[in-house]
Amino acid sequence: GAYELKLTSEAKWSASTSDSWIEVTPEEGKAGDTKLTISTVANMTESQRTGYVYVSIGTSNAASIKVSQVGINLSVEPTDLTFNTVGEDKTVSVTTNIPCEVISKPSWINISDVSITDSMDITLKASPNYNSYSRSGTVKIGINGTTIERNISVSQPGWSMENLIGSLSYGDDAINATLKVDTFGIKSNWAA
């Protein structure tokens, strides 16, 4: 970003910076009023940084301008999700002050937004797990061009007979009832 300041001087002056991520223009001027522009390059770290612009007249420091710049903020909540065997949608809140993106995800997870330009909620959709074993993985959200990333652990149990059959309740006068067996699209034979 950049800020413009009005510099008023009674003599010829020069400006310099304490750090390379701070730029000042113009770097020198004459007596009178001057528009001084102080700008910074992007801070691609998570730490806030501070530096200075020095305005000098001759060899004397006439003014010091403190320049602070916040770092990258990236957080996700929650960071651990367990999905139903039959699949379901879950919401994750992403808080960021710089665009980020989904870097990687398991193949059984679909995500509503892979590019995140601002703090927002995204939807993670797990497909049904038609295997008898559970599965797990990690969704990685990060800032392009940096090593900054956040992980969301995802897991999903596999199928078992408890997933496929319902339950029955009998009163004292019941003779028979129907039990629903739902294979949720699994192409397999079953017997009772």
Side-chain angles (χ1 to χ4, degrees), residues 10 14 47 84 92 94 105 108 113 119-120 149 154 175 177:
E10 296 178 351
S14 63
S47 302
N84 289 333
V92 172
V94 179
K105 65 178 184 61
W108 50 276
D113 296 281
S119 295
M120 60 187 290
E149 61 182 44
V154 291
I175 297 172

Side-chain angles (χ1 to χ4, degrees), residues 43-46 72 74 98-100 103 141-150:
N43 183 0
M44 300 305 284
T45 70
E46 295 182 79
I72 292 173
L74 176 62
I98 190 169
C100 59
I103 297 170
I141 296 176
I143 309 291
N144 195 8
T146 73
T147 58
I148 299 170
E149 61 182 44
R150 300 294 180 260

Side-chain angles (χ1 to χ4, degrees), residues 41-77:
V41 298
N43 183 0
M44 300 305 284
T45 70
E46 295 182 79
S47 302
Q48 177 172 312
R49 58 189 179 183
T50 301
Y52 292 88
V53 171
Y54 303 111
V55 179
S56 300
I57 297 175
T59 58
S60 299
N61 184 24
S64 297
I65 303 164
K66 185 177 179 180
V67 180
S68 296
Q69 186 179 32
V70 298
I72 292 173
N73 174 30
L74 176 62
S75 64
V76 294
E77 186 65 37

Side-chain angles (χ1 to χ4, degrees), residues 170-181:
Y170 290 92
D172 59 1
D173 59 348
I175 297 172
N176 60 36
T178 302
L179 176 66
K180 179 181 177 185
V181 177

Side-chain angles (χ1 to χ4, degrees), residues 7-94:
L7 174 65
T8 302
S9 177
E10 296 178 351
K12 182 179 176 183
W13 57 270
S14 63
S16 61
T17 64
S18 62
D19 297 277
S20 59
W21 55 271
I22 306 170
E23 298 173 353
V24 59
T25 54
E27 293 182 350
E28 58 183 34
K30 298 178 181 176
D33 293 338
T34 305
K35 189 185 296 181
L36 195 66
T37 302
I38 299 172
S39 57
T40 61
V41 298
N43 183 0
M44 300 305 284
T45 70
E46 295 182 79
S47 302
Q48 177 172 312
R49 58 189 179 183
T50 301
Y52 292 88
V53 171
Y54 303 111
V55 179
S56 300
I57 297 175
T59 58
S60 299
N61 184 24
S64 297
I65 303 164
K66 185 177 179 180
V67 180
S68 296
Q69 186 179 32
V70 298
I72 292 173
N73 174 30
L74 176 62
S75 64
V76 294
E77 186 65 37
T79 57
D80 195 355
L81 295 172
T82 301
F83 293 88
N84 289 333
T85 303
V86 296
E88 68 178 314
D89 295 357
K90 294 208 176 209
T91 300
V92 172
S93 294
V94 179

Side-chain angles (χ1 to χ4, degrees), residues 81-89 106-110 125-137 154-164 182-187:
L81 295 172
T82 301
F83 293 88
N84 289 333
T85 303
V86 296
E88 68 178 314
D89 295 357
S107 60
W108 50 276
I109 295 285
N110 289 314
K125 181 180 181 71
S127 59
N129 186 0
Y130 294 128
N131 301 298
S132 61
Y133 52 84
S134 63
R135 58 188 177 184
S136 61
V154 291
S155 61
Q156 186 180 38
W159 287 102
S160 66
M161 287 305 293
E162 287 77 20
N163 300 123
L164 303 178
D182 190 347
T183 62
F184 296 98
I186 295 175
K187 299 184 186 325

